């Protein structure tokens, strides 16, 4: 199931926020090849955005090879080659970190506090990341 959270106050365009979260879900394996994404109308209604915003996100994802749009049938996740999955995972991780830092700055969370919280969530210290 796709869960998308957008922040209208964030400088990143809404369509890119949507696309980034779909890319992250594909890289994480929570969206699988062949799985249908919500219809444009359904996602636009759920997010309270213009349907053109969702269309733009889906078009961006299609151009990047993450999804395939089948006219009249919907938008479906594309199979990703294993070597590509690693690169996509790295890109998704970078995007998540950027989003996390941006939100931390808005909330007044320091880099040290963020690093400690991340280490706790990962179950160890920063050295466990290597």
């Amino acid at each position: 199931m796709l869960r998308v959270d957008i922040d209208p106050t964030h400088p990143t365009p809404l369509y890119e926020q949507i696309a980034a979260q779909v890319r992250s879900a594909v890289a994480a394996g929570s969206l699988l090849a062949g799985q249908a994404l919500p219809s444009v109308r359904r996602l636009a209604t759920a997010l309270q955005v213009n349907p053109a915003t969702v269309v733009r996100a889906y078009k961006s994802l299609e151009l990047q090879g993450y999804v395939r749009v089948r006219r009249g049938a919907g938008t479906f996740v594309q199979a990703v080659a294993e070597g590509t999955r690693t690169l996509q995972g790295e890109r998704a991780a970078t995007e998540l970190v950027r989003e996390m830092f941006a939100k931390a700055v808005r909330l007044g969370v320091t880099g040290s506090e963020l690093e400690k919280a991340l280490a706790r969530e990962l179950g160890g210290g920063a050295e466990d990341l290597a």
Side-chain angles (χ1 to χ4, degrees):
M1 183 67 174
L2 176 64
R3 178 168 184 214
V4 177
D5 294 309
I6 58 171
D7 180 357
T9 64
H10 194 277
T12 303
L14 296 177
Y15 83 91
E16 185 52 42
Q17 290 182 47
I18 295 166
Q21 290 179 51
V22 171
R23 285 190 302 269
S24 295
V26 170
S30 55
L31 282 178
L32 304 174
Q35 191 170 352
L37 295 183
S39 71
V40 168
R41 188 177 312 247
R42 183 171 164 208
L43 187 56
T45 300
L47 298 175
Q48 297 181 334
V49 298
N50 189 309
T53 301
V54 178
V55 168
R56 190 167 180 191
Y58 283 6
K59 187 53 131 173
S60 172
L61 291 163
E62 184 179 33
L63 291 172
Q64 295 168 1
Y66 285 88
V67 301
R68 180 170 178 223
V69 177
R70 294 188 216 146
R71 303 285 181 245
T75 304
F76 299 86
V77 176
Q78 286 279 81
V80 180
E82 197 55 45
T84 306
R85 184 179 308 279
T86 301
L87 180 56
Q88 289 173 345
E90 291 172 6
R91 287 180 182 157
T94 298
E95 181 64 29
L96 287 171
V97 168
R98 286 181 182 150
E99 291 172 12
M100 182 176 55
F101 279 129
K103 190 168 188 174
V105 167
R106 286 193 308 275
L107 296 173
V109 176
T110 67
S112 176
E113 292 167 333
L114 192 58
E115 185 177 10
K116 288 175 187 174
L118 183 58
R120 274 193 313 274
E121 289 299 314
L122 292 172
E127 59 277 354
D128 291 342
L129 297 175

